[in-house]
Amino acid sequence: MLTSEQIGKLKQKNISVDGEKTAQRTQAVWKAAKSKVKQDALALGGFARSTVYRVFQTGTISAKLVIPIAQLLNVDPFYLTGESDEQGAFSEELLNALLQKHGYTDLLPKESKSDKPKRKYERKQPQKAIKEPAIEPEIVAEPEPEIITEPEVVIEPETVALPEPEPVPETAPIAKLSAESLQALLTALTIRADAGVADAADQLAQVQAILLR
């Protein structure tokens, strides 16, 4: 941004390329601005309010008037001169372009005066020797020992000789039984036959047949 001292060095020559656009756009942005901003713009440019109103009527505007209005009202200066159709916003690049176009190169920043700015000197840091990583010997895994499975030995159980059953003593002859024992056997056989035990009825019939002979 330019100071009031730098703006005082600018000429009052008309730089508008389209008077109608300059008149309409300057009037619109000026009316939309706050009173405090307007006063700051007048103080920065060192001109009276009537100078701005003259732009509304004539459509002529100088760099001395464009720059303070563009800076403080945040407008593209080329929008006020009729060269740009977008209101945009003020920037240092646009300011430098306007100064360059109208021959105010002495007001440009030092960096903008040189087409090829000097390359900033950069001190090179000494390169450190890069140590190559030590090559570790390759470790080859030993093969695992093969496990040989022995065949399972099936032990057959020994044949154990079972003891022979002892001979069952022969049934005592009926003649050796007492009358009470015979009566008890006959009663038991009768009860079994009545209960429906297999062969009990046949056995009872055989006993009856023997007794009735």
Side-chain angles (χ1 to χ4, degrees):
M1 297 177 66
L2 296 185
T3 64
S4 58
E5 184 179 352
Q6 291 173 318
I7 293 175
K9 298 178 181 180
L10 301 175
K11 298 178 181 180
Q12 296 184 359
K13 179 182 177 181
N14 179 36
I15 61 172
S16 174
V17 297
D18 190 322
E20 185 177 355
K21 289 182 179 179
T22 297
Q24 294 176 354
R25 294 172 181 179
T26 304
Q27 184 176 7
V29 298
W30 185 264
K31 288 185 176 181
K34 296 181 179 180
S35 298
K36 179 65 169 59
V37 178
K38 295 177 182 178
Q39 294 175 1
D40 294 341
L42 294 174
L44 180 63
F47 49 82
R49 192 181 300 268
S50 58
T51 305
V52 182
Y53 293 155
R54 192 178 301 116
V55 177
F56 304 163
Q57 299 172 357
T58 62
T60 60
I61 194 170
S62 63
K64 190 174 183 178
L65 191 59
V66 167
I67 293 176
I69 295 176
Q71 283 188 179
L72 295 183
L73 275 64
N74 192 25
V75 183
D76 181 351
F78 291 102
Y79 176 75
L80 298 177
T81 60
E83 298 173 72
S84 174
D85 290 331
E86 294 184 5
Q87 181 172 336
F90 177 82
S91 66
E92 293 291 337
E93 290 77 12
L94 293 173
L95 173 61
N96 295 338
L98 184 70
L99 294 174
Q100 183 78 38
K101 179 177 180 180
H102 296 287
Y104 297 107
T105 57
D106 55 327
L107 298 179
L108 291 172
K110 294 181 180 180
E111 295 180 356
S112 302
K113 293 180 181 180
S114 177
D115 296 336
K116 296 182 180 180
K118 295 182 180 179
R119 183 178 179 182
K120 184 179 179 181
Y121 174 74
E122 295 180 359
R123 183 178 180 182
K124 295 183 179 180
Q125 298 293 336
Q127 296 182 353
K128 297 181 180 180
I130 301 174
K131 295 182 179 180
E132 295 184 358
I135 301 175
E136 297 181 357
E138 183 179 358
I139 300 175
V140 181
E142 296 182 358
E144 297 182 359
E146 183 179 358
I147 300 175
I148 301 175
T149 306
E150 296 182 358
E152 184 179 358
V153 179
V154 180
I155 302 175
E156 297 182 357
E158 297 180 358
T159 304
V160 181
L162 299 174
E164 296 181 359
E166 296 182 357
V168 180
E170 297 181 358
T171 308
I174 299 176
K176 295 181 180 181
L177 298 175
S178 62
E180 291 79 4
S181 299
L182 291 174
Q183 183 64 36
L185 290 174
L186 183 59
T187 300
L189 184 60
T190 302
I191 294 171
R192 295 180 63 193
D194 293 340
V197 177
D199 298 335
D202 294 340
Q203 292 176 1
L204 180 59
Q206 291 176 7
V207 172
Q208 290 176 352
I210 292 172
L211 292 176
L212 294 174
R213 285 180 184 177

